[in-house]
Coordinates of all heavy atoms in Angstrom, one line a residue:
M740 N 11.3 95.8 -113.0 CA 11.7 94.4 -112.7 C 13.2 94.3 -112.9 O 13.9 93.6 -112.2 CB 11.0 93.4 -113.7 CG 11.3 92.0 -113.4 SD 10.6 91.5 -111.7 CE 10.9 89.7 -111.7
E741 N 13.8 95.0 -113.9 CA 15.2 95.0 -114.1 C 15.9 95.6 -112.9 O 16.9 95.1 -112.4 CB 15.6 95.8 -115.3 CG 15.3 95.1 -116.7 CD 15.9 95.9 -117.8 OE1 16.9 96.6 -117.6 OE2 15.4 95.7 -119.0
R742 N 15.4 96.6 -112.3 CA 15.9 97.2 -111.1 C 15.9 96.3 -110.0 O 16.9 96.2 -109.2 CB 15.2 98.5 -110.8 CG 15.6 99.2 -109.5 CD 14.7 100.4 -109.2 NE 13.4 100.0 -108.9 CZ 12.9 99.5 -107.8 NH1 13.8 99.4 -106.8 NH2 11.7 99.1 -107.6
I743 N 14.8 95.5 -109.8 CA 14.7 94.6 -108.7 C 15.7 93.5 -108.9 O 16.4 93.0 -107.9 CB 13.3 94.0 -108.6 CG1 12.3 95.1 -108.2 CG2 13.2 92.8 -107.7 CD1 10.8 94.7 -108.3
M744 N 15.8 92.9 -110.1 CA 16.7 91.8 -110.3 C 18.2 92.2 -110.2 O 19.0 91.4 -109.7 CB 16.5 91.2 -111.7 CG 15.1 90.6 -111.9 SD 14.7 89.3 -110.6 CE 16.0 88.1 -110.9
Q745 N 18.5 93.4 -110.5 CA 19.9 93.9 -110.4 C 20.3 94.1 -108.9 O 21.5 94.0 -108.6 CB 20.1 95.2 -111.2 CG 20.1 95.0 -112.7 CD 20.1 96.3 -113.4 OE1 20.1 97.4 -112.8 NE2 20.1 96.3 -114.7
S746 N 19.4 94.3 -108.1 CA 19.7 94.5 -106.7 C 19.7 93.2 -105.9 O 20.1 93.2 -104.7 CB 18.6 95.4 -106.0 OG 17.3 94.7 -106.1
Q747 N 19.5 92.0 -106.6 CA 19.6 90.7 -105.9 C 21.0 90.4 -105.6 O 21.9 90.6 -106.4 CB 18.9 89.6 -106.8 CG 17.5 89.8 -107.1 CD 16.6 89.8 -105.8 OE1 16.9 88.9 -105.0 NE2 15.6 90.6 -105.7
T748 N 21.2 89.8 -104.5 CA 22.6 89.5 -104.1 C 23.2 88.4 -105.0 O 24.4 88.5 -105.4 CB 22.6 88.9 -102.6 OG1 22.0 89.9 -101.8 CG2 24.0 88.7 -102.1
L749 N 22.4 87.4 -105.3 CA 22.9 86.3 -106.2 C 22.4 86.4 -107.6 O 22.0 85.3 -108.1 CB 22.6 85.0 -105.5 CG 23.1 84.8 -104.1 CD1 22.6 83.4 -103.5 CD2 24.6 84.8 -104.0
S750 N 22.3 87.6 -108.1 CA 21.7 87.7 -109.4 C 22.7 87.2 -110.5 O 23.9 87.2 -110.3 CB 21.4 89.2 -109.7 OG 22.5 90.0 -109.6
D751 N 22.1 86.7 -111.6 CA 22.9 86.1 -112.7 C 22.8 87.1 -113.9 O 21.7 87.3 -114.5 CB 22.3 84.8 -113.1 CG 23.1 84.0 -114.1 OD1 24.1 84.7 -114.6 OD2 22.8 82.9 -114.4
S752 N 23.9 87.7 -114.2 CA 23.9 88.6 -115.3 C 23.5 88.0 -116.7 O 22.9 88.7 -117.5 CB 25.3 89.3 -115.4 OG 26.3 88.3 -115.6
N753 N 23.9 86.8 -116.9 CA 23.6 86.1 -118.1 C 22.0 85.9 -118.3 O 21.5 86.1 -119.3 CB 24.2 84.7 -118.2 CG 25.8 84.8 -118.3 OD1 26.3 85.8 -118.9 ND2 26.5 83.9 -117.7
R754 N 21.4 85.5 -117.2 CA 20.0 85.3 -117.2 C 19.3 86.7 -117.3 O 18.2 86.8 -118.0 CB 19.5 84.7 -115.9 CG 18.0 84.3 -115.9 CD 17.6 83.5 -114.6 NE 16.2 83.2 -114.6 CZ 15.3 83.9 -114.1 NH1 15.6 85.0 -113.5 NH2 14.0 83.5 -114.1
Q755 N 19.8 87.7 -116.7 CA 19.2 89.0 -116.9 C 19.3 89.5 -118.3 O 18.3 90.1 -118.8 CB 20.0 90.0 -116.0 CG 19.8 89.9 -114.5 CD 20.5 90.9 -113.7 OE1 21.0 91.9 -114.2 NE2 20.6 90.7 -112.4
A756 N 20.3 89.2 -119.0 CA 20.4 89.6 -120.4 C 19.4 88.9 -121.3 O 18.8 89.4 -122.2 CB 21.8 89.3 -121.0
Y757 N 19.1 87.6 -120.9 CA 18.1 86.8 -121.6 C 16.7 87.3 -121.3 O 15.9 87.3 -122.2 CB 18.3 85.3 -121.2 CG 17.3 84.4 -121.8 CD1 17.3 84.1 -123.1 CD2 16.2 83.9 -121.0 CE1 16.3 83.2 -123.7 CE2 15.3 83.1 -121.5 CZ 15.3 82.8 -122.9 OH 14.3 81.9 -123.4
M758 N 16.4 87.6 -120.1 CA 15.1 88.0 -119.7 C 14.8 89.5 -119.9 O 13.6 89.8 -119.9 CB 14.8 87.7 -118.2 CG 14.8 86.2 -117.9 SD 13.5 85.3 -118.7 CE 12.0 86.1 -118.1
R759 N 15.8 90.3 -120.2 CA 15.5 91.7 -120.4 C 14.7 91.9 -121.6 O 15.0 91.4 -122.7 CB 16.8 92.4 -120.5 CG 16.7 94.0 -120.6 CD 18.0 94.6 -120.7 NE 18.8 94.5 -119.5 CZ 20.0 93.9 -119.4 NH1 20.5 93.3 -120.5 NH2 20.6 93.9 -118.3
G760 N 13.6 92.6 -121.5 CA 12.7 92.8 -122.6 C 13.3 93.7 -123.7 O 14.2 94.5 -123.5
K761 N 12.8 93.5 -124.9 CA 13.2 94.3 -126.0 C 12.7 95.7 -125.8 O 11.5 95.9 -125.5 CB 12.7 93.7 -127.3 CG 13.2 92.4 -127.7 CD 12.7 91.8 -129.0 CE 13.3 90.5 -129.4 NZ 12.7 90.0 -130.6
R762 N 13.6 96.7 -126.1 CA 13.2 98.1 -125.8 C 12.7 98.7 -127.1 O 13.3 98.6 -128.2 CB 14.4 98.8 -125.3 CG 14.8 98.3 -123.9 CD 16.1 98.9 -123.4 NE 16.5 98.3 -122.1 CZ 17.6 98.7 -121.5 NH1 18.4 99.5 -122.0 NH2 17.9 98.1 -120.3
V763 N 11.7 99.5 -127.0 CA 11.1 100.2 -128.1 C 11.0 101.7 -127.7 O 10.5 102.0 -126.6 CB 9.7 99.7 -128.4 CG1 9.1 100.5 -129.5 CG2 9.8 98.2 -128.8
L764 N 11.6 102.6 -128.6 CA 11.5 104.0 -128.3 C 10.2 104.5 -129.0 O 10.0 104.4 -130.2 CB 12.7 104.7 -128.9 CG 12.8 106.2 -128.8 CD1 12.8 106.7 -127.4 CD2 13.9 106.8 -129.6
E765 N 9.4 105.1 -128.1 CA 8.1 105.7 -128.6 C 8.3 107.2 -128.6 O 8.7 107.8 -127.6 CB 6.9 105.3 -127.8 CG 6.6 103.8 -128.0 CD 5.2 103.4 -127.4 OE1 4.6 104.4 -126.8 OE2 4.8 102.3 -127.5

Side-chain angles (χ1 to χ4, degrees):
M740 188 63 174
E741 284 190 22
R742 177 184 62 82
I743 293 172
M744 296 306 297
Q745 288 173 358
S746 64
Q747 299 294 321
T748 305
L749 302 177
S750 59
D751 186 354
S752 58
N753 295 328
R754 185 173 182 270
Q755 289 181 13
Y757 173 75
M758 291 300 298
R759 185 180 292 119
K761 294 181 179 180
R762 296 174 181 177
V763 177
L764 177 65
E765 290 191 359

